[in-house]
Structures are given as structure tokens and as C-alpha cells.
Amino acid sequence: MHKNSNAMRWGVRIHALCYFAANLIQVLVWWLFTPELHFWPIWSIVGWGVGLVVHFWAVRAAVQKADASRLTASTSSAGVRSL
């Protein structure tokens, strides 16, 4: 990954904030103007929600991989110095 772990985590947070804000607005529009119709915001809630979950998993895996490689690098370099 070309981004650091903190930037990737912030990307997920911003994505989640936009998801909740946009879907809240859609639910409010549905409730105020078309409550007699089917709950049409469900399509963006589910569709975008799948994208958000995939984004979260991808960042989580990348951060864990980066942390593991940093830990491996620090322990191997510490071992070299001690010789």
C-alpha cells in the first residue's frame, strides 16, 4: 500500500461518515415525502453498505499486514544488532 495505516483508517472513517449522512438524508426524504411508498432508501443502504464493508476489510487486512511486516522487520533488525 502506498498510504500509511493512519491515512487508510481515516479513509474508512470518512467513508462511514458519508455513508451514514447520505443515508440518513435519504431516509428523511422518504419519511417526509413518500412514506406511503416502499422503503426505497434500502437500495443505497444495502448497496453502499456492501462497499463500505469491503473497504473496511481491505484496510483492516492491509493495516494488519503492514503491522506484521513492521514487527518482523524490527525484531529481525534487533537480532542483527545484538550479534
Side-chain angles (χ1 to χ4, degrees), residues 1 3 5-6 8 11 15 22 27 37-38 40 48 50-52 69 71-73 78 81:
M1 284 276 162
K3 296 181 180 180
S5 300
N6 196 33
M8 289 188 291
H15 189 176
V27 169
L37 296 178
H38 71 282
W40 53 262
W48 193 351
V50 169
L52 181 60
S69 66
L71 180 62
T72 303
R81 283 188 224 139

Side-chain angles (χ1 to χ4, degrees), residues 6 9 12 22 24 26-27 32 38-39 51 53-54 60 62 64 79-80:
N6 196 33
R9 287 182 182 123
V12 172
L24 177 63
Q26 289 182 35
V27 169
L32 291 172
H38 71 282
F39 185 67
V53 167
V54 170
R60 183 174 180 223
Q64 287 177 344
V80 170

Side-chain angles (χ1 to χ4, degrees), residues 14-30:
I14 291 169
H15 189 176
L17 179 66
C18 293
Y19 170 81
F20 288 116
N23 285 307
L24 177 63
I25 290 168
Q26 289 182 35
V27 169
L28 289 174
V29 167
W30 169 81

